[in-house]
Amino acid sequence: MAQKIHIVLEDDLDGSEASETVTFGLDGTTYEIDLTDEHATELREALAPYVGHARKVSGSARRGRKASAGAAGNGSAGSADGGPSAKEIREWARSNGYEVPDRGRVSAEVREAFDAAN
């Protein structure tokens, strides 16, 4: 039986329908937050004075460290905690009839279905 799941992002601040997932980092931790265009603009404007004076860290260097940590932990390039990556879950979901977004969070329902099947 095929299933289609429609993912709707919800603004993490006010609960309205979000338009994007914003990723940012602070103190060595990367965060994601789902926001409306208005809230995303507010966040970017609030961070702009700091970003303007900061040094940019290459995205490839961060990805390299994360992949190495995953590989050392369990022999695969999964998530930082050793579990499957969002990419792996999305590929599985699509091949099993689930509709998932290209970016943003993978729903708990899809993750649970993946866990049950694997």
Side-chain angles (χ1 to χ4, degrees):
M1 177 170 123
Q3 294 182 357
K4 287 190 177 185
I5 297 175
H6 180 73
I7 306 296
V8 178
L9 295 178
E10 185 176 287
D11 187 296
D12 291 323
L13 297 179
D14 66 11
S16 63
E17 189 170 329
S19 54
E20 66 178 298
T21 300
V22 178
T23 303
F24 62 98
L26 182 65
D27 295 335
T29 301
T30 303
Y31 299 91
E32 284 188 345
I33 186 168
D34 300 326
L35 299 172
T36 61
D37 288 336
E38 180 181 347
H39 286 143
T41 298
E42 290 172 1
L43 175 61
R44 289 182 176 105
E45 287 174 354
L47 294 174
Y50 301 98
V51 172
H53 289 89
R55 291 178 303 277
K56 186 173 182 177
V57 176
S58 170
S60 61
R62 283 194 315 261
R63 280 194 298 273
R65 282 195 302 268
K66 183 176 180 182
S68 297
N74 64 3
S76 70
S79 68
D81 66 358
S85 69
K87 180 181 178 184
E88 291 171 310
I89 295 173
R90 281 189 182 90
E91 289 172 357
W92 174 89
R94 288 185 183 117
S95 68
N96 285 279
Y98 290 91
E99 195 171 301
V100 292
D102 290 332
R103 23 182 321 254
R105 295 185 183 149
V106 175
S107 73
E109 182 179 2
V110 171
R111 285 185 179 274
E112 289 169 6
F114 175 87
D115 290 340
N118 294 291

